[in-house]
Protein backbone atom coordinates (compact mmCIF):
# COMPACT_ATOMS: atom_id res chain seq x y z
CA UNK A 1 0.00 0.00 0.00
CA UNK A 2 1.05 3.62 -0.48
CA UNK A 3 0.68 6.81 1.59
CA UNK A 4 -2.05 9.37 0.99
CA UNK A 5 -0.67 12.84 0.29
CA UNK A 6 -2.66 15.59 -1.40
CA UNK A 7 -5.29 13.15 -2.68
CA UNK A 8 -2.71 10.89 -4.35
CA UNK A 9 -1.07 7.61 -3.39
CA UNK A 10 2.67 8.04 -2.95
CA UNK A 11 5.79 6.03 -2.17
CA UNK A 12 8.31 7.50 0.30
CA UNK A 13 10.61 10.19 -1.11
CA UNK A 14 13.53 8.04 0.10
CA UNK A 15 12.08 4.91 -1.55
CA UNK A 16 12.11 3.13 1.84
CA UNK A 17 9.48 0.59 2.87
CA UNK A 18 8.34 -1.15 6.09
CA UNK A 19 6.77 -4.57 6.49
CA UNK A 20 3.63 -5.19 8.51
CA UNK A 21 3.35 -8.59 10.15
CA UNK A 22 0.46 -10.60 11.56
CA UNK A 23 1.06 -10.83 15.35
CA UNK A 24 -0.70 -14.22 15.48
CA UNK A 25 1.32 -15.94 12.72
CA UNK A 26 4.38 -13.71 12.16
CA UNK A 27 3.57 -13.74 8.44
CA UNK A 28 3.99 -10.59 6.35
CA UNK A 29 0.57 -9.05 5.64
CA UNK A 30 1.57 -5.83 3.94
CA UNK A 31 4.27 -3.35 2.98
CA UNK A 32 3.95 0.42 3.41
CA UNK A 33 6.26 3.34 2.62
CA UNK A 34 8.78 4.30 5.28
CA UNK A 35 8.06 8.00 5.14
CA UNK A 36 10.38 10.73 6.43
CA UNK A 37 10.70 14.47 6.83
CA UNK A 38 10.21 15.23 3.10
CA UNK A 39 6.98 13.25 2.99
CA UNK A 40 5.68 15.04 6.08
CA UNK A 41 6.62 18.36 4.43
CA UNK A 42 4.64 17.41 1.31
CA UNK A 43 1.64 16.28 3.39
CA UNK A 44 1.60 19.46 5.49
CA UNK A 45 1.87 21.57 2.30
CA UNK A 46 -1.09 19.69 0.82
CA UNK A 47 -3.08 20.10 4.04
CA UNK A 48 -2.26 23.84 4.18
CA UNK A 49 -3.38 24.32 0.58
CA UNK A 50 -6.65 22.53 1.27
CA UNK A 51 -7.37 24.56 4.43
CA UNK A 52 -9.17 27.60 3.09
CA UNK A 53 -11.43 25.69 0.68
CA UNK A 54 -12.43 23.13 3.31
CA UNK A 55 -13.02 25.75 6.01
CA UNK A 56 -15.15 27.79 3.59
CA UNK A 57 -17.53 24.90 2.87
CA UNK A 58 -20.77 25.17 4.85
CA UNK A 59 -20.37 22.81 7.85
CA UNK A 60 -23.38 20.79 6.69
CA UNK A 61 -21.59 20.06 3.37
CA UNK A 62 -18.56 18.83 5.31
CA UNK A 63 -20.91 16.68 7.36
CA UNK A 64 -22.38 15.12 4.19
CA UNK A 65 -18.92 13.87 3.15
CA UNK A 66 -18.42 12.32 6.58
CA UNK A 67 -21.84 10.64 6.35
CA UNK A 68 -20.95 9.25 2.90
CA UNK A 69 -17.60 7.93 4.19
CA UNK A 70 -19.33 6.25 7.14
CA UNK A 71 -21.76 4.56 4.73
CA UNK A 72 -18.86 3.24 2.61
CA UNK A 73 -17.08 1.99 5.76
CA UNK A 74 -20.25 0.14 6.80
CA UNK A 75 -20.52 -1.46 3.32
CA UNK A 76 -16.92 -2.68 3.61
CA UNK A 77 -16.93 -3.66 7.27
CA UNK A 78 -16.04 -7.31 6.57
CA UNK A 79 -12.96 -6.51 4.49
CA UNK A 80 -11.76 -3.76 6.86
CA UNK A 81 -12.27 -5.86 10.00
CA UNK A 82 -10.30 -8.80 8.53
CA UNK A 83 -7.48 -6.40 7.65
CA UNK A 84 -7.52 -5.05 11.22
CA UNK A 85 -7.31 -8.58 12.66
CA UNK A 86 -4.36 -9.36 10.38
CA UNK A 87 -2.28 -6.34 11.46
CA UNK A 88 -3.44 -5.84 15.06
CA UNK A 89 -4.31 -9.35 16.30
CA UNK A 90 -7.71 -8.77 17.97
CA UNK A 91 -10.60 -11.23 17.47
CA UNK A 92 -12.78 -10.60 14.41
CA UNK A 93 -15.81 -9.70 16.55
CA UNK A 94 -13.86 -6.93 18.30
CA UNK A 95 -12.38 -5.72 15.00
CA UNK A 96 -15.87 -5.59 13.47
CA UNK A 97 -17.12 -3.57 16.45
CA UNK A 98 -14.18 -1.21 16.10
CA UNK A 99 -14.78 -0.58 12.39
CA UNK A 100 -18.51 -0.04 13.01
CA UNK A 101 -17.57 2.20 15.95
CA UNK A 102 -15.42 4.30 13.59
CA UNK A 103 -18.41 4.75 11.26
CA UNK A 104 -20.56 5.69 14.27
CA UNK A 105 -18.07 8.37 15.35
CA UNK A 106 -18.08 9.91 11.85
CA UNK A 107 -21.89 9.88 11.82
CA UNK A 108 -21.99 11.48 15.26
CA UNK A 109 -19.74 14.37 14.18
CA UNK A 110 -21.45 14.69 10.80
CA UNK A 111 -24.70 15.13 12.75
CA UNK A 112 -23.11 17.84 14.90
CA UNK A 113 -21.92 19.77 11.85
CA UNK A 114 -25.19 21.70 11.70
CA UNK A 115 -24.74 22.92 15.27
CA UNK A 116 -21.45 24.78 14.77
CA UNK A 117 -22.03 28.42 15.55
CA UNK A 118 -20.59 31.27 17.61
CA UNK A 119 -22.02 33.82 20.03
CA UNK A 120 -23.10 37.42 20.16
CA UNK A 121 -22.66 39.56 23.30
CA UNK A 122 -24.21 43.01 23.75
CA UNK A 123 -21.95 45.22 25.94
CA UNK A 124 -23.92 48.49 25.42
CA UNK A 125 -20.74 50.57 25.95
CA UNK A 126 -18.66 49.03 23.17
CA UNK A 127 -21.45 47.67 21.03
CA UNK A 128 -21.88 44.08 20.11
CA UNK A 129 -19.14 41.45 20.33
CA UNK A 130 -19.44 38.63 17.83
CA UNK A 131 -17.51 35.50 18.77
CA UNK A 132 -16.73 33.26 15.81
CA UNK A 133 -15.44 29.71 16.13
CA UNK A 134 -12.63 29.31 13.62
CA UNK A 135 -10.85 26.10 12.66
CA UNK A 136 -7.22 25.88 13.83
CA UNK A 137 -5.74 24.93 10.45
CA UNK A 138 -3.53 21.89 9.86
CA UNK A 139 -3.86 19.33 12.66
CA UNK A 140 -1.67 16.26 13.22
CA UNK A 141 -3.09 13.02 14.61
CA UNK A 142 -0.59 10.50 16.02
CA UNK A 143 -2.22 7.11 16.48
CA UNK A 144 -1.26 4.07 18.58
CA UNK A 145 -1.64 0.43 17.55
CA UNK A 146 -4.15 -0.78 20.13
CA UNK A 147 -7.37 0.72 18.65
CA UNK A 148 -5.93 2.21 15.45
CA UNK A 149 -9.22 2.65 13.60
CA UNK A 150 -11.36 3.93 16.47
CA UNK A 151 -8.71 6.36 17.72
CA UNK A 152 -8.21 7.66 14.16
CA UNK A 153 -11.98 8.35 14.12
CA UNK A 154 -11.78 10.22 17.42
CA UNK A 155 -9.27 12.59 15.78
CA UNK A 156 -10.53 12.80 12.17
CA UNK A 157 -14.23 13.23 13.11
CA UNK A 158 -14.04 16.44 15.15
CA UNK A 159 -11.04 17.88 13.26
CA UNK A 160 -12.66 17.72 9.82
CA UNK A 161 -16.14 18.63 11.02
CA UNK A 162 -14.76 21.82 12.57
CA UNK A 163 -13.15 22.76 9.25
CA UNK A 164 -9.54 21.73 9.86
CA UNK A 165 -7.35 19.62 7.60
CA UNK A 166 -5.30 16.76 8.97
CA UNK A 167 -2.12 14.72 8.61
CA UNK A 168 -2.40 11.33 10.33
CA UNK A 169 0.49 9.16 11.38
CA UNK A 170 -0.59 5.59 12.13
CA UNK A 171 1.51 3.35 14.39
CA UNK A 172 4.15 1.42 12.46
CA UNK A 173 2.63 -1.96 13.28
CA UNK A 174 -0.95 -1.02 12.24
CA UNK A 175 -1.08 1.31 9.21
CA UNK A 176 -3.09 -0.85 6.78
CA UNK A 177 -6.72 -0.38 7.83
CA UNK A 178 -6.19 3.37 8.29
CA UNK A 179 -4.88 3.63 4.70
CA UNK A 180 -7.85 1.60 3.43
CA UNK A 181 -10.20 4.00 5.18
CA UNK A 182 -8.32 6.94 3.64
CA UNK A 183 -9.29 5.52 0.25
CA UNK A 184 -12.97 5.48 1.28
CA UNK A 185 -12.75 9.17 2.26
CA UNK A 186 -11.56 9.96 -1.27
CA UNK A 187 -14.34 7.83 -2.79
CA UNK A 188 -16.85 9.76 -0.65
CA UNK A 189 -15.68 13.00 -2.27
CA UNK A 190 -13.27 14.41 0.33
CA UNK A 191 -11.25 17.13 -1.45
CA UNK A 192 -7.54 16.41 -2.03
CA UNK A 193 -5.30 17.35 0.90
CA UNK A 194 -8.02 17.51 3.58
CA UNK A 195 -6.89 14.16 5.00
CA UNK A 196 -3.33 12.93 4.48
CA UNK A 197 -1.84 9.72 5.91
CA UNK A 198 1.92 9.41 6.25
CA UNK A 199 3.37 6.06 7.34
CA UNK A 200 6.80 5.70 8.93
CA UNK A 201 8.59 5.60 12.28
CA UNK A 202 7.58 7.84 15.14
CA UNK A 203 11.10 9.18 15.59
CA UNK A 204 11.09 10.59 12.05
CA UNK A 205 7.50 11.02 10.78
CA UNK A 206 6.02 11.75 14.22
CA UNK A 207 8.88 14.06 15.13
CA UNK A 208 8.63 15.96 11.80
CA UNK A 209 4.91 16.56 12.38
CA UNK A 210 5.41 17.79 15.93
CA UNK A 211 8.18 20.21 14.89
CA UNK A 212 6.57 21.48 11.67
CA UNK A 213 5.70 25.19 12.13
CA UNK A 214 2.57 24.97 9.92
CA UNK A 215 0.95 22.31 12.13
CA UNK A 216 -1.33 24.11 14.60
CA UNK A 217 -2.44 21.19 16.76
CA UNK A 218 -1.09 17.77 17.69
CA UNK A 219 -3.48 15.19 19.03
CA UNK A 220 -1.42 12.31 20.41
CA UNK A 221 -2.38 8.95 21.92
CA UNK A 222 0.30 6.65 23.28
CA UNK A 223 2.87 6.25 26.01
CA UNK A 224 3.59 8.81 28.76
CA UNK A 225 7.26 9.27 27.84
CA UNK A 226 6.47 9.88 24.18
CA UNK A 227 3.58 12.16 25.15
CA UNK A 228 5.80 14.30 27.36
CA UNK A 229 8.35 14.60 24.56
CA UNK A 230 5.59 15.54 22.09
CA UNK A 231 4.29 18.24 24.46
CA UNK A 232 7.77 19.69 25.06
CA UNK A 233 8.58 19.72 21.35
CA UNK A 234 5.21 21.13 20.28
CA UNK A 235 5.65 24.00 22.76
CA UNK A 236 8.56 25.31 20.64
CA UNK A 237 6.08 26.30 17.91
CA UNK A 238 3.13 27.12 20.20
CA UNK A 239 0.87 24.31 19.03
CA UNK A 240 -2.32 23.20 20.68
CA UNK A 241 -1.67 19.77 22.20
CA UNK A 242 -4.00 17.03 23.31
CA UNK A 243 -2.49 13.98 25.04
CA UNK A 244 -4.17 10.66 25.83
CA UNK A 245 -1.55 8.71 27.71
CA UNK A 246 -3.17 5.60 29.10
CA UNK A 247 -4.17 4.63 32.59
CA UNK A 248 -4.09 2.09 35.37
CA UNK A 249 -7.85 1.90 35.84
CA UNK A 250 -9.05 0.59 39.22
CA UNK A 251 -12.28 -1.39 39.65
CA UNK A 252 -13.86 -1.45 43.11
CA UNK A 253 -16.15 -4.39 43.93
CA UNK A 254 -18.24 -3.73 47.05
CA UNK A 255 -19.73 -6.49 49.22
CA UNK A 256 -23.26 -5.75 47.93
CA UNK A 257 -22.29 -5.99 44.22
CA UNK A 258 -23.78 -8.62 41.91
CA UNK A 259 -20.65 -10.77 41.91
CA UNK A 260 -21.51 -12.71 38.73
CA UNK A 261 -21.95 -9.47 36.80
CA UNK A 262 -18.85 -7.90 38.38
CA UNK A 263 -16.65 -10.92 37.61
CA UNK A 264 -17.87 -10.99 34.00
CA UNK A 265 -17.22 -7.23 33.80
CA UNK A 266 -13.70 -7.62 35.18
CA UNK A 267 -12.80 -10.40 32.72
CA UNK A 268 -14.28 -8.62 29.70
CA UNK A 269 -12.84 -5.29 30.87
CA UNK A 270 -9.34 -6.71 31.22
CA UNK A 271 -9.01 -9.28 28.42
CA UNK A 272 -10.77 -7.31 25.67
CA UNK A 273 -8.15 -6.52 23.00
CA UNK A 274 -5.70 -8.77 24.90
CA UNK A 275 -5.58 -6.22 27.71
CA UNK A 276 -4.21 -3.52 25.40
CA UNK A 277 -6.83 -0.86 26.00
CA UNK A 278 -6.15 2.39 27.80
CA UNK A 279 -9.43 2.09 29.74
CA UNK A 280 -9.05 -1.63 30.51
CA UNK A 281 -9.65 -2.79 34.09
CA UNK A 282 -6.06 -2.87 35.34
CA UNK A 283 -6.50 -3.41 39.12
CA UNK A 284 -9.40 -4.91 41.10
CA UNK A 285 -10.06 -3.95 44.74
CA UNK A 286 -12.65 -6.30 46.22
CA UNK A 287 -14.18 -6.19 49.73
CA UNK A 288 -12.72 -9.05 51.81
CA UNK A 289 -16.18 -10.47 52.78
CA UNK A 290 -16.81 -11.43 49.13
CA UNK A 291 -13.24 -11.76 47.88
CA UNK A 292 -13.05 -15.54 47.84
CA UNK A 293 -16.29 -15.99 45.88
CA UNK A 294 -15.32 -13.15 43.49
CA UNK A 295 -11.91 -14.74 42.80
CA UNK A 296 -13.57 -18.11 42.05
CA UNK A 297 -16.02 -16.55 39.60
CA UNK A 298 -13.34 -14.43 37.94
CA UNK A 299 -10.99 -17.41 37.60
CA UNK A 300 -13.75 -19.45 35.95
CA UNK A 301 -14.57 -16.63 33.51
CA UNK A 302 -10.90 -15.98 32.74
CA UNK A 303 -10.29 -19.64 31.90
CA UNK A 304 -13.15 -19.43 29.37
CA UNK A 305 -11.12 -16.96 27.24
CA UNK A 306 -9.90 -19.18 24.39
CA UNK A 307 -6.77 -17.69 22.85
CA UNK A 308 -5.65 -17.97 19.21
CA UNK A 309 -5.73 -16.35 15.78
CA UNK A 310 -8.46 -13.68 15.84
CA UNK A 311 -9.92 -14.97 12.55
CA UNK A 312 -10.95 -18.25 14.22
CA UNK A 313 -14.54 -18.20 15.42
CA UNK A 314 -14.00 -19.78 18.84
CA UNK A 315 -11.23 -17.31 19.78
CA UNK A 316 -12.02 -14.69 22.44
CA UNK A 317 -8.50 -13.29 22.88
CA UNK A 318 -5.81 -12.77 20.25
CA UNK A 319 -2.08 -12.19 20.67
CA UNK A 320 -0.38 -9.05 21.92
CA UNK A 321 0.35 -6.71 19.05
CA UNK A 322 4.13 -6.77 19.14
CA UNK A 323 7.25 -8.42 20.56
CA UNK A 324 8.12 -5.53 22.89
CA UNK A 325 4.65 -5.70 24.47
CA UNK A 326 4.97 -9.44 25.01
CA UNK A 327 8.39 -9.04 26.61
CA UNK A 328 7.01 -6.40 28.98
CA UNK A 329 4.16 -8.68 30.05
CA UNK A 330 6.50 -11.61 30.65
CA UNK A 331 8.72 -9.35 32.76
CA UNK A 332 5.73 -8.08 34.81
CA UNK A 333 4.72 -11.63 35.76
CA UNK A 334 8.30 -12.85 36.38
CA UNK A 335 8.82 -9.87 38.69
CA UNK A 336 6.08 -11.07 41.09
CA UNK A 337 6.10 -14.84 40.42
CA UNK A 338 7.75 -15.71 43.77
CA UNK A 339 5.58 -13.49 45.97
CA UNK A 340 2.17 -13.54 44.24
CA UNK A 341 -0.41 -16.26 43.86
CA UNK A 342 -1.09 -16.93 40.17
CA UNK A 343 -4.77 -17.91 40.10
CA UNK A 344 -4.64 -18.81 36.39
CA UNK A 345 -2.37 -18.19 33.39
CA UNK A 346 1.14 -16.88 33.88
CA UNK A 347 2.75 -18.51 30.86
CA UNK A 348 3.36 -18.00 27.18
CA UNK A 349 2.08 -20.78 24.92
CA UNK A 350 4.60 -22.58 22.69
CA UNK A 351 4.78 -21.73 18.99
CA UNK A 352 4.38 -18.69 16.77
CA UNK A 353 2.52 -15.50 17.66
CA UNK A 354 2.84 -12.98 20.51
CA UNK A 355 0.44 -14.92 22.72
CA UNK A 356 0.23 -14.80 26.51
CA UNK A 357 -2.34 -16.57 28.66
CA UNK A 358 -4.97 -14.47 30.43
CA UNK A 359 -3.51 -14.17 33.91
CA UNK A 360 -4.89 -13.41 37.37
CA UNK A 361 -2.66 -12.43 40.29
CA UNK A 362 -3.54 -12.30 43.99
CA UNK A 363 -1.67 -11.84 47.27
CA UNK A 364 0.54 -9.03 45.98
CA UNK A 365 2.43 -6.64 48.26
CA UNK A 366 0.90 -3.15 48.23
CA UNK A 367 4.02 -1.68 46.59
CA UNK A 368 4.13 -4.14 43.65
CA UNK A 369 4.71 -2.13 40.43
CA UNK A 370 1.85 -4.02 38.74
CA UNK A 371 -0.47 -2.05 41.10
CA UNK A 372 0.89 1.36 40.19
CA UNK A 373 2.15 1.26 36.59
CA UNK A 374 0.09 0.75 33.44
CA UNK A 375 0.29 -2.91 32.41
CA UNK A 376 -0.66 -3.16 28.72
CA UNK A 377 -1.55 -6.83 28.40
CA UNK A 378 -3.67 -9.68 29.81
CA UNK A 379 -2.62 -9.57 33.47
CA UNK A 380 -5.06 -8.60 36.24
CA UNK A 381 -4.13 -8.20 39.92
CA UNK A 382 -6.91 -8.72 42.50
CA UNK A 383 -6.46 -7.06 45.90
CA UNK A 384 -8.61 -7.42 49.05
CA UNK A 385 -9.74 -4.29 50.92
CA UNK A 386 -11.67 -3.84 54.17
CA UNK A 387 -13.97 -0.99 53.14
CA UNK A 388 -14.67 1.78 50.66
CA UNK A 389 -12.25 4.23 52.29
CA UNK A 390 -9.37 1.82 51.80
CA UNK A 391 -10.50 1.00 48.24
CA UNK A 392 -10.73 4.65 47.17
CA UNK A 393 -7.36 5.48 48.72
CA UNK A 394 -5.70 2.55 46.93
CA UNK A 395 -7.51 3.33 43.67
CA UNK A 396 -6.21 6.92 43.74
CA UNK A 397 -2.66 5.97 44.70
CA UNK A 398 -1.17 5.97 41.18
CA UNK A 399 -0.07 8.83 38.94
CA UNK A 400 -2.78 7.84 36.42
CA UNK A 401 -6.38 9.01 36.27
CA UNK A 402 -8.04 7.85 33.07
CA UNK A 403 -10.99 5.65 34.10
CA UNK A 404 -12.27 3.94 37.26
CA UNK A 405 -15.33 1.91 38.18
CA UNK A 406 -17.35 1.03 41.26
CA UNK A 407 -19.65 -2.00 41.42
CA UNK A 408 -22.43 -1.74 44.01
CA UNK A 409 -26.22 -1.59 44.40
CA UNK A 410 -25.93 1.15 47.02
CA UNK A 411 -26.58 4.61 45.57
CA UNK A 412 -24.58 6.27 48.35
CA UNK A 413 -21.50 4.21 47.60
CA UNK A 414 -21.90 4.80 43.86
CA UNK A 415 -22.08 8.55 44.47
CA UNK A 416 -18.98 8.39 46.70
CA UNK A 417 -17.12 6.62 43.85
CA UNK A 418 -18.28 9.21 41.33
CA UNK A 419 -17.10 12.08 43.54
CA UNK A 420 -13.87 10.73 45.02
CA UNK A 421 -12.28 8.54 42.36
CA UNK A 422 -9.63 10.58 40.54
CA UNK A 423 -10.41 9.85 36.90
CA UNK A 424 -11.68 11.42 33.70
CA UNK A 425 -14.44 8.79 33.51
CA UNK A 426 -16.13 6.93 36.38
CA UNK A 427 -18.38 4.00 35.51
CA UNK A 428 -20.93 2.47 37.91
CA UNK A 429 -21.56 -1.27 37.41
CA UNK A 430 -19.76 -1.21 34.05
CA UNK A 431 -16.30 -0.44 32.68
CA UNK A 432 -14.37 0.22 29.45
CA UNK A 433 -17.06 1.28 26.94
CA UNK A 434 -16.83 4.82 25.58
CA UNK A 435 -19.69 5.92 23.29
CA UNK A 436 -18.91 8.89 21.02
CA UNK A 437 -20.95 11.27 23.19
CA UNK A 438 -18.57 10.71 26.16
CA UNK A 439 -15.86 13.31 26.70
CA UNK A 440 -12.85 11.02 26.86
CA UNK A 441 -9.51 11.78 28.52
CA UNK A 442 -7.72 11.64 31.81
CA UNK A 443 -6.65 13.62 34.84
CA UNK A 444 -3.17 13.64 36.44
CA UNK A 445 -0.57 11.91 34.20
CA UNK A 446 -3.18 10.28 31.99
CA UNK A 447 -3.08 13.34 29.80
CA UNK A 448 -4.62 16.64 28.89
CA UNK A 449 -7.56 17.52 26.68
CA UNK A 450 -10.63 15.48 25.78
CA UNK A 451 -11.63 13.49 22.73
CA UNK A 452 -15.20 12.67 21.73
CA UNK A 453 -18.42 14.51 22.40
CA UNK A 454 -19.15 18.13 21.59
CA UNK A 455 -16.21 18.81 23.90
CA UNK A 456 -13.67 17.61 21.31
CA UNK A 457 -15.24 19.80 18.66
CA UNK A 458 -14.53 22.81 20.91
CA UNK A 459 -10.88 21.80 21.05
CA UNK A 460 -10.52 21.86 17.26
CA UNK A 461 -11.65 25.48 17.04
CA UNK A 462 -10.48 28.80 18.47
CA UNK A 463 -12.53 31.88 19.17
CA UNK A 464 -12.16 35.04 17.15
CA UNK A 465 -13.80 38.12 18.67
CA UNK A 466 -15.20 40.84 16.40
CA UNK A 467 -16.02 44.21 18.04
CA UNK A 468 -17.97 46.20 15.51
CA UNK A 469 -18.78 49.89 15.97
CA UNK A 470 -21.26 51.16 13.38
P1 LIG B 1 4.31 5.13 21.65
O1 LIG B 1 3.97 6.32 22.46
O2 LIG B 1 5.73 4.86 21.35
O3 LIG B 1 3.59 5.20 20.21
C1 LIG B 1 2.36 5.85 19.94
C2 LIG B 1 2.47 6.60 18.62
O4 LIG B 1 3.48 7.63 18.71
C3 LIG B 1 2.91 5.73 17.44
O5 LIG B 1 2.29 6.17 16.25
C4 LIG B 1 4.40 5.99 17.38
O6 LIG B 1 4.98 5.69 16.13
C5 LIG B 1 4.44 7.48 17.66
N1 LIG B 1 5.73 8.00 18.11
C6 LIG B 1 6.78 7.31 18.64
N2 LIG B 1 7.79 8.15 18.91
C7 LIG B 1 7.39 9.38 18.54
C8 LIG B 1 8.00 10.68 18.55
N3 LIG B 1 9.25 10.89 19.00
N4 LIG B 1 7.29 11.74 18.11
C9 LIG B 1 6.03 11.57 17.66
N5 LIG B 1 5.41 10.37 17.59
C10 LIG B 1 6.07 9.28 18.04
O7 LIG B 1 3.66 3.91 22.31
P2 LIG B 1 4.04 2.40 22.00
O8 LIG B 1 3.38 2.02 20.74
O9 LIG B 1 5.50 2.16 22.08
O10 LIG B 1 3.37 1.69 23.23
C11 LIG B 1 4.04 1.62 24.48
C12 LIG B 1 3.11 1.86 25.64
O11 LIG B 1 2.31 3.02 25.44
C13 LIG B 1 2.12 0.74 25.86
O12 LIG B 1 2.68 -0.34 26.55
C14 LIG B 1 1.07 1.49 26.67
O13 LIG B 1 1.48 1.58 28.00
C15 LIG B 1 1.05 2.85 26.05
N6 LIG B 1 0.01 2.97 25.06
C16 LIG B 1 -1.15 3.56 25.43
C17 LIG B 1 -2.15 3.67 24.53
C18 LIG B 1 -3.42 4.31 24.87
O14 LIG B 1 -4.41 4.10 24.19
N7 LIG B 1 -3.43 5.14 25.86
C19 LIG B 1 -2.04 3.13 23.19
C20 LIG B 1 -0.78 2.54 22.88
C21 LIG B 1 0.20 2.49 23.80
P3 LIG B 1 5.64 4.24 15.87
O15 LIG B 1 4.54 3.25 15.95
O16 LIG B 1 6.19 4.40 14.50
O17 LIG B 1 6.68 4.05 16.93
Amino acid sequence: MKMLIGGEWKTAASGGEMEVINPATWEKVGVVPQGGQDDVGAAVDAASEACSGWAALPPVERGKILFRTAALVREEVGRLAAMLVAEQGKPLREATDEVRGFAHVLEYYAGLSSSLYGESINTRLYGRIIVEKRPLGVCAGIIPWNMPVMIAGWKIGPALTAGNTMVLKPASTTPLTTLAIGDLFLKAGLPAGVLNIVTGPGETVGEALVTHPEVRKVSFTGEIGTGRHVAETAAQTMKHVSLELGGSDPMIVCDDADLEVAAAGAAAGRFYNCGQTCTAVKRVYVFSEVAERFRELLTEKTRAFTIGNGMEKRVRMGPLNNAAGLERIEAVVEDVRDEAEILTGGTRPEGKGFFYEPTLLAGLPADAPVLSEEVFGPVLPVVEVEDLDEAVEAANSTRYGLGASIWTKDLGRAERGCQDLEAGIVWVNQHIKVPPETPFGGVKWSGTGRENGVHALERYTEEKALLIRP
Side-chain angles (χ1 to χ4, degrees), residues 247-248 283 285 371-373 393-401 422 444:
S248 178
R283 302 170 279 150
Y285 296 100
L371 294 174
S372 55
E373 283 310 312
E393 191 184 335
N396 289 341
S397 68
T398 76
R399 61 180 172 162
Y400 294 96
E422 293 167 0
K444 304 197 290 190

Side-chain angles (χ1 to χ4, degrees), residues 142-146 151 169-172 200-203 206-207 210 220-223 226 229-230 244-246 278 328 374 376:
I142 300 180
I143 312 289
W145 42 261
N146 63 332
I151 293 173
K169 191 212 102 54
S172 292
E203 306 86 64
E207 198 74 25
V210 177
F220 171 85
T221 304
E223 204 251 322
T226 322
H229 172 72
V230 163
E244 203 279 271
L245 307 178
C278 35
R328 278 197 291 270
E374 178 176 42
F376 223 56

Side-chain angles (χ1 to χ4, degrees), residues 26-267:
W26 295 343
E27 285 162 7
K28 183 170 82 175
V29 290
V31 176
V32 295
Q34 179 160 348
Q37 198 164 356
D38 291 346
D39 305 292
V40 169
V44 174
D45 286 350
S48 292
E49 264 176 50
C51 261
S52 55
W54 182 245
L57 265 190
V60 171
E61 294 303 317
R62 297 198 291 261
K64 281 182 191 165
I65 294 174
L66 264 62
F67 272 129
R68 279 203 292 275
T69 310
L72 292 176
V73 168
R74 288 190 185 282
E75 277 172 26
E76 300 246 17
V77 69
R79 176 177 73 91
L80 296 168
M83 194 181 269
L84 182 55
V85 174
E87 63 178 342
Q88 203 278 345
K90 60 185 66 187
L92 184 61
R93 196 176 45 146
E94 291 181 15
T96 306
D97 284 350
E98 183 172 340
V99 173
R100 288 201 180 116
F102 173 88
H104 187 187
V105 169
L106 288 197
E107 288 156 356
Y108 171 74
Y109 282 106
L112 285 180
S113 63
S114 54
S115 60
L116 278 170
Y117 38 71
E119 299 151 36
S120 166
I121 306 161
N122 191 349
T123 65
R124 281 183 64 200
L125 195 53
Y126 301 103
R128 209 156 39 88
I129 306 172
I130 297 169
V131 184
E132 290 187 346
K133 301 265 178 151
R134 295 280 181 109
L136 303 173
V138 178
C139 299
I142 300 180
I143 312 289
W145 42 261
N146 63 332
M147 307 274 292
V149 174
M150 182 64 99
I151 293 173
W154 290 355
K155 300 188 193 307
I156 299 170
L160 266 53
T161 301
N164 303 281
T165 60
M166 186 157 240
V167 181
L168 268 192
K169 191 212 102 54
S172 292
T173 56
T174 55
L176 302 177
T177 322
T178 313
L179 289 168
I181 285 175
D183 187 38
L184 298 181
F185 271 103
L186 292 187
K187 290 194 167 110
L190 190 74
V194 174
L195 177 66
N196 307 273
I197 305 173
V198 181
T199 51
E203 306 86 64
T204 48
V205 170
E207 198 74 25
L209 276 170
V210 177
T211 48
H212 200 297
E214 287 295 310
V215 172
R216 296 308 323 133
K217 167 164 177 150
V218 179
S219 175
F220 171 85
T221 304
E223 204 251 322
I224 280 188
T226 322
R228 186 162 49 183
H229 172 72
V230 163
E232 283 168 1
T233 312
Q236 304 305 312
T237 43
M238 296 296 169
K239 296 183 193 341
H240 297 247
V241 177
S242 136
L243 302 170
E244 203 279 271
L245 307 178
S248 178
D249 285 16
M251 165 177 179
I252 297 175
V253 182
C254 299
D255 52 3
D256 64 324
D258 182 328
L259 294 185
E260 273 284 344
V261 174

